[in-house]
Structures are given as C-alpha cells and as structure tokens.
Amino acid sequence: MTIQQIRYVIGIAGAGSFNKAAEKLFISQPSLTSSVHDLEDEIGFQIFNRTARGITLTERGKEFLSDAEVLFRDFTSFRDKYTRGERKNFSVSALYYAFAREAFVHVVRQFGSEGYDFAFREKKASDVIDDVAAGKSEIGILYLSDSNRDGITRLLRASCLEFHHLTECNAFVYLHESHPLAGRESLSLDDLTGYRFVTFDTDDVRSFFPDELITRYSLDKAIRVADRSTELNLLKTLKGYTFLSGVSGEETNEDFLLIPLKNQDGVALGTFQLGYITHGDGKMNGIGRAYIDNVRRILHIAGL
C-alpha cells in the first residue's frame, strides 16, 4: 500500500468515476484501475462497486475511505512541515476570474520590491485544489455550487484545506453582441437550444448544472477549446455561448454580453458561493492577507 494509492482512492471517491478521476489525477484510466486493483488484492476486499452507471463505495470501502482521508491529511501536514523552504514566494491559483488577476497585480506592485518570487496560475477547480494542497500556491480562488459542493468538499477535507466564503453569485449566459439572442433581458436553457455551447473547462458545466439538465440539453456535447481567446473567437464566429458566474462580469469587453440565466418561470438558475481556500490552519502571512483584502475591495467596487 502506498500514499499514491491512498490518493487515488480519495480522488476516485470524490470524482464519482474512474474516468473523471483519471483526468484530475493526470494518470491513464488503465493505470489507475490497475493500481486500485492491486490495492484491493493487497487488503483483501473491494473498495468500490463498479457498475455501468459509475462507482459506489462498498461498506468496507466507506470505512477504508474515512481512514484513508485521515492518513492523507496527516501525511500532507508532515510533508509540508519538512519540505517547505524559506524562500520568499507568493503564488495564487484561481479559476478564470478577472478580479483575481487584478488583485494579484496590486499585490505585486505593493510587495515587488521585497524580493518575492510571484506566480499566478489560472486552472480548473480540481487543479486549484491540488496546487494549494501541494504548497505550490498559498491561496486558491474557486466556487461551490449545488452540483460540485459534495465532491469539492471531500477533496478539500482530504487535503486538509479550508474554504472561506467571500460572496454569492448566479449563472449568466456569455455571448457576442451580434448573437441573435443578444437583446434578451434573460435567457433559459430552452432559448439556447440549437446554438453552440463552447467551453475550455469540461468540468465547469457539471458545476453549473445537475446531470439531468446536462443530458437533456446536450451540454456534454460542447466545443472544447484550450484558452479564453479561442473561446471568444468561436463565440463570435459560430454564434455560440458559454456560462459565467456573476463575478466574472467585469472582464466582459464591449463586444460581449452577460445575460442572466433563468428558468421558464423567470427564476434565476444556479447560485454559487465564491470563496478562497487555504491550508486548514487558516494562517496567512502579510502578503496573503493583502491579496484577500484586495479581492474584497475589488468585489465591493464591482457592486458585489
């Protein structure tokens, strides 16, 4: 039994399937499956029930997962205690938010003369968590929703990380001003039927909507791109659309629009809890506190 195998089990339980876990853990599915099979052979019982619809924990698997999470938290704390160096550095990992970048710029200007090494990484939620857990970043910026809350909370707990609430926001449709729906005050998923859905974060749609809606509106058939500039180009040329949370509003330019996403009864779809994650002890140095202060200030200026 290895720490890597323990990490794999926690990742699979959090992702809900071997396929999704393999993507997040940066390992091929056959290798992941083989590693877990080896672990199950060693301990003498199955951790997961495998079905065509996904995986569930066996009764003994539930007990194993609970103990594994404790062990992994202890290992993470032990590793961090003896591997963190004394170099002055400050890094942030975040979802694709303009306010997070702007706050980082202010911090670099404020502390740039003090010899810090700076890094700002824009990533998917699972990668943001991995960066903070591994000590690559002191702070991570992400959000919780009804669809992703359980999985992300489990990953945070397993990595001994803590989520700190900042504000709440709702889902918006993001499209070019030339789009046929650009003049609408609000949009529903039915209104978007027939238009191209574009995204660079394949996990993001499952954070916005439950599987039932994803299947009904074929949101799992998105055009996937590698970066924001390509996404914007396709939104314009293909009359496509994507989804953003309300706090992204300040990064829209004059050619693109944010339109509230609502159901057919005019009720807003999707409420998100925006926040930041840190290690469980909650301790931040002066530069970390300054960064979060800037985030709060920017969100307040933006009217949130």
Side-chain angles (χ1 to χ4, degrees):
M1 183 186 304
T2 66
I3 283 292
Q4 190 70 287
Q5 288 172 314
I6 296 295
R7 180 170 177 260
Y8 289 164
V9 169
I10 294 171
I12 294 166
S17 76
F18 279 77
N19 270 335
K20 294 178 184 176
E23 292 180 9
K24 295 179 179 180
L25 293 167
F26 298 101
I27 184 175
S28 69
Q29 184 185 342
S31 296
L32 179 62
T33 301
S34 175
S35 182
V36 174
H37 274 310
D38 290 344
L39 174 60
E40 290 175 328
D41 288 342
E42 180 181 350
I43 61 181
F45 61 86
Q46 276 193 303
I47 300 172
F48 299 105
N49 291 314
R50 299 158 176 86
T51 69
R53 301 183 64 182
I55 58 98
T56 59
L57 288 161
T58 64
E59 287 304 313
R60 294 203 68 184
K62 293 176 182 178
E63 180 182 0
F64 182 90
L65 176 64
S66 178
D67 291 340
E69 289 175 340
V70 173
L71 174 62
F72 193 76
R73 285 198 301 269
D74 290 343
F75 168 77
T76 300
S77 297
F78 177 82
R79 178 197 61 196
D80 291 346
K81 180 178 180 180
Y82 291 103
T83 59
R84 287 183 176 178
E86 298 300 322
R87 291 181 61 188
K88 293 176 65 173
N89 57 75
F90 180 71
S91 299
V92 173
S93 293
L95 301 181
Y96 296 79
Y97 285 132
F99 73 83
R101 296 193 297 270
E102 183 179 345
F104 189 79
V105 170
H106 284 289
V107 165
V108 172
R109 289 173 176 168
Q110 182 178 352
F111 293 87
S113 62
E114 298 185 15
Y116 277 91
D117 290 332
F118 294 98
F120 184 81
R121 305 176 177 93
E122 291 184 311
K123 296 188 172 184
K124 299 189 297 184
S126 58
D127 297 331
V128 170
I129 293 171
D130 287 345
D131 279 358
V132 179
K136 292 181 180 178
S137 290
E138 181 176 351
I139 294 170
I141 303 291
L142 47 73
Y143 64 82
L144 302 180
S145 69
D146 290 342
S147 297
N148 75 1
R149 188 181 308 276
D150 289 344
I152 286 185
T153 299
R154 183 182 294 278
L155 289 174
L156 294 177
R157 185 169 63 246
S159 300
C160 203
L161 302 179
E162 184 175 348
F163 181 86
H164 309 269
H165 175 81
L166 284 170
T167 189
E168 292 187 352
C169 49
N170 295 102
F172 284 74
V173 181
Y174 190 50
L175 41 74
H176 191 261
E177 63 180 3
S178 63
H179 194 285
L181 300 176
R184 302 285 290 274
E185 292 185 0
S186 66
L187 292 169
S188 69
L189 291 176
D190 286 323
D191 294 327
L192 298 170
T193 301
Y195 295 102
R196 296 275 192 170
F197 174 43
V198 183
T199 183
F200 58 85
D201 186 348
T202 56
D203 292 336
D204 205 38
V205 66
R206 299 193 181 278
S207 300
F208 276 82
F209 308 110
D211 288 342
E212 186 271 331
L213 287 181
I214 291 173
T215 301
R216 184 196 304 175
Y217 293 99
S218 299
L219 297 177
D220 53 347
K221 309 300 182 185
I223 298 176
R224 295 171 174 84
V225 296
D227 56 69
R228 178 69 80 185
S229 61
T230 302
E231 182 184 51
L232 295 179
N233 182 53
L234 292 180
L235 292 181
K236 178 180 179 180
T237 57
L238 296 180
K239 299 189 184 302
Y241 68 92
T242 193
F243 300 107
L244 294 178
S245 52
V247 291
S248 296
E250 78 275 16
E251 69 176 307
T252 60
N253 60 43
E254 60 183 7
D255 298 325
F256 290 84
L257 304 172
L258 275 174
I259 300 177
L261 180 66
K262 299 185 179 182
N263 63 23
Q264 295 291 14
D265 297 324
V267 178
L269 277 182
T271 298
F272 307 93
Q273 185 181 4
L274 179 74
Y276 64 96
I277 58 173
T278 63
H279 275 272
D281 55 19
K283 296 179 180 178
M284 288 192 296
N285 57 23
I287 190 171
R289 290 192 296 272
Y291 177 76
I292 295 301
D293 286 344
N294 274 289
V295 167
R296 290 196 175 102
R297 178 183 59 80
I298 293 166
L299 293 179
H300 177 71
I301 289 173
L304 297 171

